[in-house]
Amino acid sequence: MSHENYQSIIETLHECMTTCNHCYDACLKEEHVKMMAQCIRLDRECADICTYLEQALGRGTPFVSELAQVCAEICEACGNECKKHSHDHCQKCAEVCFKCAEVCFKCAEECKKLAS
């Protein structure tokens, strides 16, 4: 598959990365930052894997299915953690992470079928 075939996935990954980075930064500024430690950790993990998958898709990686599966799992974990917190940035992050997880799970499945 070409880069163009992944354009909507790439856009979703980029949105998730920027949203997680915003949440990460905002969590560091919260009054009880220690209570936000897991959220901060998962924001970083999620932003990093989304960035990696975005770049890998752009260069035509043969590991789309595997990387998309891992990305989906991390996005889902980040979303689950963020939704525990009442801050607007966390709620927005959870929403975007769940959207990205859904897109990545779908991508992983479709790419697995194409490879078979």
Side-chain angles (χ1 to χ4, degrees), residues 2 64 73 79:
S2 69
V64 174
E73 291 172 15

Side-chain angles (χ1 to χ4, degrees), residues 42-79:
L42 286 170
D43 282 337
R44 290 303 314 139
E45 294 287 338
C46 193
D48 287 348
I49 191 66
C50 286
T51 299
Y52 184 79
L53 182 54
E54 180 182 354
Q55 291 173 358
L57 290 172
R59 66 178 171 265
T61 182
F63 302 103
V64 174
S65 182
E66 296 86 351
L67 291 171
Q69 181 67 36
V70 170
C71 188
E73 291 172 15
I74 293 171
C75 287
E76 190 169 64
C78 188

Side-chain angles (χ1 to χ4, degrees), residues 10-36:
I10 288 170
E11 289 169 7
T12 301
L13 289 165
H14 192 79
E15 177 187 20
C16 192
M17 177 271 298
T18 57
T19 303
C20 285
N21 280 335
H22 172 73
C23 187
Y24 166 85
D25 185 58
C27 285
L28 287 172
K29 296 172 184 168
E30 292 296 338
E31 185 176 337
H32 302 289
V33 73
K34 285 190 178 195
M35 291 177 52
M36 305 303 294

